[in-house]
Every structure is written in structure tokens, then in C-alpha cells.
Amino acid sequence: MKYFPILDELFTSNSIIFLLIGLAVSIMIGVRMKNVKKILIALSVSFGVYAVCEAISNVHTSYFAEIILLIVGTASIGGMAGFLISLADAGRSKR
């Protein structure tokens, strides 16, 4: 996991708390949206935020910046999972 420091940190430390926070917030937002198109946009934004955090964290910056990138990147992973759950819920309730 040389090129994915946020995922590596997620599996080796207790930063799963930030993932759970992102998951809970995104599920609450996604359930209130109830629109598949908006949920897909939110999912892609979460993925974009994660990709940017992962790319920037490969460039070694200051310690404080890496901590912030770790928190935001981990929360956006939780956001992606939460929006996927919300997408399944919106698709199921649409039928």
C-alpha cells in the first residue's frame, strides 16, 4: 500500500472513527435527498475529495497537513460508503 497512505493508515490505526463519522453524516444527507441523480453526484464528489487527499498525501508536506488530509480522506471514504447505502435505499423506495 505504498501509494495509498490513507488506506494504509485506515487499516493500521484507529482512524476508523473518522470513517464512521463520514458514514453517518452521508447516510443522513443521502436519505434526505431521495433523488438518485443527486446521490450519484454526492458519491462522485466524495470520491473526488478522497482522490485529491490521497494524491496530495503522497507528496510529503508538513505533518499538520498530512493529519488533515488523513481525516478528510478517511471521512470521504465513509461518505462514499454512506452514499452507496443511500443510493440503494433510494433505488429500492422508488419501486
Side-chain angles (χ1 to χ4, degrees):
M1 300 262 268
K2 178 181 175 184
Y3 297 108
F4 298 109
I6 294 175
L7 281 178
D8 184 40
E9 189 69 27
L10 181 65
F11 292 122
T12 59
S13 72
N14 58 355
S15 63
I16 194 148
I17 295 167
F18 302 117
L19 185 131
L20 294 176
I21 291 170
L23 179 73
V25 169
S26 64
I27 287 176
M28 286 189 297
I29 292 171
V31 166
R32 293 188 197 280
M33 277 194 224
K34 294 183 181 178
N35 185 349
V36 174
K37 186 176 181 180
K38 288 182 181 179
I39 294 173
L40 283 173
I41 290 170
L43 178 65
S44 63
V45 167
S46 292
F47 179 75
V49 168
Y50 166 70
V52 167
C53 288
E54 196 74 73
I56 293 174
S57 64
N58 278 327
V59 177
H60 295 290
T61 58
S62 69
Y63 183 71
F64 181 72
E66 288 187 11
I67 295 294
I68 295 299
L69 289 171
L70 173 70
I71 292 170
V72 172
T74 306
S76 65
I77 292 172
M80 286 187 290
F83 285 126
L84 281 173
I85 292 169
S86 300
L87 186 66
D89 181 55
R92 185 185 58 160
S93 63
K94 205 172 197 184
R95 291 181 185 184

